[in-house]
Amino acid sequence: MSLPHSSSGQGAAGTQIPVSEAVPGDLVVMSGHIGFYAGNGMILHAPYEGTVVRTQPIWTSDYWIVRI
């Protein structure tokens, strides 16, 4: 599968779905950031360049879910 490099491009590449329908592997899209939905309100992501990938609670209500 080919996806754009930018978070905005990746967020526009799939179909936005209701948060209530999110399953692990869907994209969690925020302004300027993206990660994978890990289930139970958690995101799998690298919080900033140079850090390791981690799982943590989604910390904002300003996000949407995209299924590729």
Side-chain angles (χ1 to χ4, degrees), residues 32-46:
H33 192 64
I34 201 157
F36 293 104
Y37 186 66
N40 299 321
M42 304 287 279
I43 185 173
L44 175 68
H45 73 130

Side-chain angles (χ1 to χ4, degrees), residues 35-62:
F36 293 104
Y37 186 66
N40 299 321
M42 304 287 279
I43 185 173
L44 175 68
H45 73 130
Y48 50 89
E49 186 175 340
T51 168
V52 298
V53 173
R54 63 181 75 164
T55 303
Q56 68 183 73
I58 298 172
W59 60 90
T60 180
S61 60
D62 189 19

